[in-house]
Amino acid sequence: MKVMLVDDERLALVRLENMLGEYRDCKVIGSFSRAELAVNHIGELQPDAVFLDIHMPGLNGLKATERIHTISPNTKIVYVTAYDEHAVEAFELGATDYLVKPLRRERLGKTIERLRERISSLKPPNEEGLLYHCLGAMQIRKTDGELEFLKWRTTKAKELFAYLLFHRGKVINKNTLLELLWPELDDPQGLANLHTSINRIRSTWKNTFGDGYISIRYSQYGYILESKELRIDAEEWEQQFRQLNPVSIKHVLEHQRLLDMYRGNFYEEDNYVWAEGERQRLKALWLQHARQLGQFYSSHDMSMEALRVLHRIQERDPLNEDSYLALMNIYARLNDTDSVDKQYQFMIRILEQEAGVDPSPAILEWYARWKNDTKACPL
C-alpha cells in the first residue's frame, strides 16, 4: 500500500517512516511537515492511506481530512497525535484508526492490518451485465469498463430502441409508435419502416453484444421490449439518490460521488421530445441535491469545493439567480473582486438574452452594497 506521512515534528516523521519500513507491503511515497503541502500532492500521488497528525500550525489534521477526501475519496486516514481528546470527532470523519504517541509496534501492526482490510474492500466487484448510459450521450459500458457506442443505421431505429427501453416490460401499441416516429407516412409505409427498425435493433445488439441482453416481441397489436442483465444509469442514479444519508462530513464523499455520477440530462444529446418530462424530473432531483451539497461546502468554509458545485448548477440551470448570488458571496469572501464583477455581468447578460428580465431587487441591492464596501475598504 502507498502511504503519506504528515507531522510538523521532524523526528516523529523519521520514526514513523522507519517503523513502516518494517512492512514489506507498505511504501512511504511522501513525507510532509505541513498539511497544506500534503493536500497539494494528494491528487498527484493518490495514496492508499495518510498518517496524519492533528495538532499542526496552519491547516490542522481534522480540516485537512475534509480536503483530502474531496480530492481522493478512497484514501484512508490514520490520525497520529499526542492527545486523545479528538478521537470521537476523528472517527466521525471516517478515520480508519487513531494512534496516540509514542507509537508502539504492536499497536501499529493492528493499524496496518485494518488498513489492508479496508483497502482490499475498495476493489470494485465484478458487476454483472452491461451498463446502459442514457444520462448525456447514449452509450454502453461493458463489464471491463470499456465504453461502446452502438452503430445505428438510422436515427429512427435508435429512437425506437430508446423509447421501447424506457417503457420496457410494457406492450406499446404499434399505432403509438407510428404516430411518434412516422406520422407523415400512411399505414403501410409506416408499418414497413417499423418492422425494418425492429429488425435493425435486434441485429445491432446481436452483432455488438451477442444474444441475451434484450428481446423484442410482438404482442397484442404492439411490441414489448424486455431486458436481461442490462443496467440503466438513470435508474441506478435515482435509486442511490433515494437512499442517501443527510449530507455531513461523514457522508459528503458519498454525496459528491453521486453528484458526479449524473453526467448529463436524460437523453440530452438526442433531445427526444417524448423524454422531456423525465428529463426535467431527473434534472430537478439533481439540482436539489447539488444545491444541498453546495450549501454544505460553503457553510464548512470549503470554498473551492463549493465553487465547483455552484458552477455546475449554473451550467444546468442558467436562469436561476440563486447560484449567481452564492458564487458572488464566495468570491467576495475570497476577496476576488474580478470574479464577483464577472458573475454579476454574466448574470445580467444571461437573464436579458434568455428571459428578457432584470435581476431581482435583492441581488441588485447586494451588489450595490458590496460595491460600496469595496470602495470604502480597497485592497
Side-chain angles (χ1 to χ4, degrees):
M1 72 185 80
K2 300 182 299 181
V3 302
M4 284 174 54
L5 315 181
V6 188
D7 197 315
D8 62 324
E9 297 180 24
R10 183 59 189 167
L11 290 178
L13 282 175
V14 172
R15 175 172 168 74
L16 179 55
E17 185 167 356
N18 289 337
M19 293 176 72
L20 291 172
E22 298 173 8
Y23 298 92
R24 297 180 61 181
D25 62 340
C26 188
K27 179 182 180 181
V28 177
I29 59 172
S31 182
F32 302 90
S33 59
R34 290 177 54 208
E36 292 90 341
L37 294 175
V39 169
N40 289 340
H41 287 82
I42 286 290
E44 171 193 352
L45 299 176
Q46 290 289 312
D48 296 309
V50 176
F51 285 77
L52 183 62
D53 190 13
I54 291 180
H55 294 278
M56 290 182 290
L59 185 67
N60 66 38
L62 298 176
K63 284 290 185 182
T65 298
E66 300 174 11
R67 307 291 176 85
I68 291 171
H69 277 166
T70 300
I71 300 168
S72 181
N74 291 329
T75 294
K76 303 304 177 187
I77 302 295
V78 175
Y79 291 109
V80 184
T81 180
Y83 310 92
D84 60 4
E85 71 267 24
H86 293 291
V88 173
E89 185 177 0
F91 286 111
E92 286 179 349
L93 288 172
T96 297
D97 211 343
Y98 189 98
L99 300 175
V100 179
K101 300 175 183 178
L103 300 184
R104 294 180 292 110
R105 280 181 167 78
E106 181 181 355
R107 180 66 181 84
L108 180 60
K110 293 180 180 179
T111 299
I112 296 298
E113 285 297 324
R114 187 171 295 176
L115 283 172
R116 288 170 180 154
E117 292 175 4
R118 297 283 183 91
I119 293 168
S120 64
S121 69
L122 290 175
K123 295 179 180 178
N126 292 324
E127 296 175 319
E128 296 183 358
L130 305 174
L131 178 62
Y132 174 81
H133 289 282
C134 53
L135 295 176
M138 182 193 294
Q139 54 190 330
I140 314 292
R141 185 176 296 278
K142 298 189 288 188
T143 52
D144 62 2
E146 182 181 349
L147 287 173
E148 183 83 40
F149 289 86
L150 291 169
K151 298 175 177 61
W152 300 101
R153 291 186 61 183
T154 67
T155 58
K156 295 291 188 180
K158 180 182 180 182
E159 184 172 2
L160 175 61
F161 168 74
Y163 187 84
L164 289 174
L165 183 66
F166 181 60
H167 297 283
R168 70 190 184 284
K170 301 176 183 177
V171 177
I172 307 300
N173 190 281
K174 61 183 180 182
N175 291 327
T176 300
L177 299 174
L178 293 176
E179 185 177 346
L180 175 70
L181 296 167
W182 296 279
E184 74 284 359
L185 301 180
D186 58 29
D187 283 354
Q189 288 180 305
L191 285 171
N193 282 348
L194 176 58
H195 296 156
T196 300
S197 296
I198 291 290
N199 288 329
R200 283 175 172 167
I201 292 172
R202 290 171 176 151
S203 63
T204 295
W205 271 85
K206 183 176 181 179
N207 294 339
T208 308
F209 299 111
D211 293 317
Y213 285 105
I214 69 159
S215 66
I216 304 175
R217 56 187 175 84
Y218 186 76
S219 175
Q220 302 174 5
Y221 304 104
Y223 288 94
I224 178 171
L225 183 147
E226 294 174 332
S227 61
K228 183 180 180 182
E229 295 183 0
L230 181 63
R231 298 155 47 222
I232 299 175
D233 66 343
E235 293 181 358
E236 292 194 355
W237 179 84
E238 183 171 2
Q239 182 181 22
Q240 293 180 44
F241 171 79
R242 302 292 183 188
Q243 297 172 349
L244 274 176
N245 292 296
V247 62
S248 64
I249 289 295
K250 183 178 181 180
H251 299 295
V252 69
L253 300 179
E254 181 184 356
H255 282 260
Q256 185 64 55
R257 180 191 61 78
L258 198 66
L259 191 81
D260 295 337
M261 182 177 167
Y262 191 94
R263 302 179 314 138
N265 292 324
F266 186 66
Y267 287 116
E268 182 174 73
E269 186 177 88
D270 299 286
N271 199 32
Y272 298 134
V273 174
W274 54 265
E276 184 61 24
E278 184 70 356
R279 187 179 299 124
Q280 292 302 324
R281 187 184 71 84
L282 292 173
K283 177 183 174 181
L285 290 178
W286 184 86
L287 287 170
Q288 171 192 339
H289 178 225
R291 289 179 186 123
Q292 290 175 352
L293 186 57
Q295 289 170 3
F296 174 85
Y297 281 143
S298 183
S299 65
H300 284 72
D301 293 326
M302 300 172 71
S303 298
M304 295 301 105
E305 293 80 3
L307 288 173
R308 282 194 290 270
V309 172
L310 289 167
H311 276 292
R312 290 184 62 184
I313 292 173
Q314 192 178 81
E315 289 173 7
R316 296 206 179 279
D317 193 18
L319 294 180
N320 189 302
E321 297 181 22
D322 291 342
S323 63
Y324 296 96
L325 181 58
L327 283 165
M328 288 190 291
N329 267 298
I330 293 175
Y331 284 127
R333 288 205 308 264
L334 297 174
N335 293 320
D336 187 347
T337 57
D338 287 343
S339 292
V340 175
D341 280 320
K342 286 178 181 177
Q343 279 298 312
Y344 183 74
Q345 297 302 327
F346 181 56
M347 175 186 62
I348 289 179
R349 186 168 67 254
I350 291 295
L351 292 177
E352 173 61 30
Q353 291 176 352
E354 300 296 327
V357 298
D358 295 324
S360 67
I363 292 184
L364 295 174
E365 290 173 10
W366 182 95
Y367 184 74
R369 187 167 57 251
W370 172 80
K371 269 290 192 185
N372 288 333
D373 292 344
T374 302
K375 292 177 181 178
C377 303
L379 294 178

